[in-house]
Amino acid sequence: MQQHTEESPLLEAAQPVSTDPEILKHDLFYQRFTPARKRVIVALISWAAVIPFLAAGSFIPSIPEIARELDSTGPIISLAVSLSIITGSIGSLSWATYSGSYGRRTIFLISIPCLCIGSVGVAMSHSVPVLLFWRVVQAFGASSGMSVGGGAIGDIYRLEERGTAMGVFFGASLVGPAVAPLCGGLATHYFSWRHAQWWLFFMGLLALIPVYLFLPETLDPEKLRYWGATEEHKKPIFLNPFASLGVLRSPNVCIITLAGTTTLVTDFVLMVPLAYTIGKQYNITNEALIGAFFLPAGLGNIIGAPLAGRLSDSTVVAWRKRRGNTWVPEDRLRASLLGAGVFVPLSVLLSGLTTQFVPGTPGIVLNLVWLFMNGIGVDFVLSPSSAYYVDILHSRSAETMAASGAFRGLIISLITTIILPTINTIGIAATGGLFAGIAWLGFGLILLTIKYGDRMRAWVDVGYSTVRDN
C-alpha cells in the first residue's frame, strides 16, 4: 500500500485522461449505466433508505400512547429509541461489510424482509420486553438503507457528480422524517399505534418488490463474490463487521464524524422530547398535531440535502480550478460551514428560548421556523460530509459511511436517554443553549479539518483514494 506523507500530498493534479490507464478504467466503470438508469438506481435506493426514517419517526409521536397501553412510562418506552439506534449502528456495519463482497442488491433483498418481520412483531407486541425485542429486529433490517445506498452512489457517480447525487439521495430519503411522525401521530390518535407498524410492514413490501425487479448490481464486478459460481464461492464467508470501525483511525474520518454527531444530536434534542416540550408548553395533546411539528424539519431536510450536495460539487470544482487542477478533498467540506456555524446551533438555541419564554401562537410559529432551519442545517453538514467519506475512501465507501453512522448512533443513543432528564433539571432554554454550544464545537472541528486535513491524512494511512481511482 502506498504511504502518503506530509511532503507527498495525497492528491496531485490529474494527468490527462487519455494518457492515464487508471483514469480510463474508472471512466469506463462509471459508464456502465446510462444517466437515466442511474436516476432509477438513485430513486430505488432512496426509497429503500426512507424505511429507517419511517420506522424511527412514526414511533416517536406514539410513545405516550404506547406507555399508557403497556402500563409503562415515557422514559422507559423511549429506551426503544436508544436501543434501535444502537441496533441500527451494528446492523449498518454488518450490511455494509457484506455488501462489499456480495453486492448492494443482495443486501437490500435480505435486509428489507427482516424489517418487514420486525414491523409485524412490533405491531403484535403486548409487553415492553417483547416490544423492545421486535424493535431490535426492525431496526436491524432497516439499517442497510443509508450505508449501502451511499456505497451504491459511490459505485456509479464520478467525483464531480457525487455530491449532487448524494444530496438527491439524502433529500429523497429524508421524505421519511417529514411524513413519518405525522402519519404515526394520525394512526395513533385516530386508530392505534399498531396501525402505524402495519403500515411500515406494507411500506417494506413496496420497497422490496421494485428493488427485486429493477435494481441492478452496482458493485465493481471485480470485487463481487458470486454465490456458488465456483467451489470456493459455495462456501459462506464470515466477515467481522466491526473491522469497518478501523477507518475511524483516520483523524479526518473521526473528526468529521464527531462534527456530524454534534450536528445530528441537535435534531434529536428537538424531536425526541417534542411531546413533552412544545406539546406540554402549548397544551397540544393530539398526537397528529404533535406529529405535524416534524413536517418543517422534514421539509428542511428535503430542500437542504440537494442544495448542499450541489453546492459541495460546485465547491470542489471551483477550488480545484483555483488550485491549478489539484484536488484537495477537504474543499468539499467548505459547503458545510453555513449549516454547522449558523443554522444548526442557532435553531436549537432559539427553539429552547422560544419554547420557554414565548407563549401562544407566536411561540408555535417561531418554533416551526426553527425546526425548518434545523432541517436545512443538518443536511448542509451531513450531505457534504458523506460525499467526503466516499471521496477519500472510495473503495470502502459503504463501510466508511456505516462506521461513521455507527459512531454517531452510539453517542446519540446515549444522549437521547438524558435529554428529558436534562430538560427537567435545567430547563428547555438552558438545554438548547448547552447543545448549541456543542454544535459550535463541531463547527470548529470542520474548520480544523479544512485547514489541516492534508497533514492529518499523513498521520495514519488507511488506504486513501487518489484522483486516479476516484
Side-chain angles (χ1 to χ4, degrees), residues 124-136:
M124 299 179 68
S125 298
H126 291 281
S127 68
V128 173
V130 172
L131 174 77
L132 295 179
F133 171 79
W134 286 114
R135 277 289 289 174
V136 166

Side-chain angles (χ1 to χ4, degrees), residues 191-388:
F191 301 98
S192 165
W193 60 271
R194 299 180 189 277
H195 284 79
Q197 299 302 315
W198 283 110
W199 174 69
L200 273 176
F201 166 72
F202 288 113
M203 289 297 100
L205 290 181
L206 290 178
L208 179 63
I209 294 170
V211 164
Y212 176 76
L213 293 176
F214 304 115
L215 182 66
E217 183 52 65
T218 63
L219 187 67
D220 187 342
E222 294 182 1
K223 301 176 182 178
L224 186 60
R225 184 182 177 92
Y226 294 93
W227 186 271
T230 65
E231 286 299 320
E232 178 64 25
H233 285 189
K234 288 180 181 179
K235 303 174 183 177
I237 57 173
F238 298 96
L239 304 174
N240 178 11
F242 297 101
S244 301
L245 294 174
V247 299
L248 294 175
R249 293 185 298 113
S250 162
N252 303 65
V253 175
C254 186
I255 289 177
I256 292 303
T257 299
L258 279 172
T261 303
T262 64
T263 294
L264 190 59
V265 75
T266 64
D267 189 57
F268 282 81
V269 169
L270 291 173
M271 298 300 184
V272 170
L274 201 147
Y276 298 95
T277 54
I278 293 176
K280 181 178 179 181
Q281 179 72 13
Y282 300 106
N283 297 316
I284 301 171
T285 57
N286 185 315
E287 291 87 351
L289 290 178
I290 291 174
F293 271 87
F294 288 75
L295 286 174
L299 182 60
N301 291 148
I302 295 168
I303 294 173
L307 285 177
R310 188 172 295 275
L311 177 62
S312 75
D313 274 349
S314 63
T315 302
V316 167
V317 172
W319 277 85
R320 185 170 180 172
K321 182 178 180 180
R322 182 173 174 177
R323 297 179 189 278
N325 203 34
T326 297
W327 175 51
V328 176
E330 285 73 35
D331 287 336
R332 188 182 292 279
L333 298 175
R334 298 177 189 275
S336 67
L337 294 178
L338 180 63
V342 179
F343 289 166
V344 169
L346 286 183
S347 63
V348 69
L349 173 64
L350 293 173
S351 178
L353 291 170
T354 300
T355 303
Q356 186 159 331
F357 299 111
V358 182
T361 302
I364 294 175
V365 172
L366 285 173
N367 265 301
L368 294 175
V369 173
W370 310 142
L371 289 168
F372 176 74
M373 180 191 296
N374 184 261
I376 289 182
V378 166
D379 279 318
F380 261 70
V381 176
L382 296 186
S383 183
S385 298
S386 296
Y388 174 71

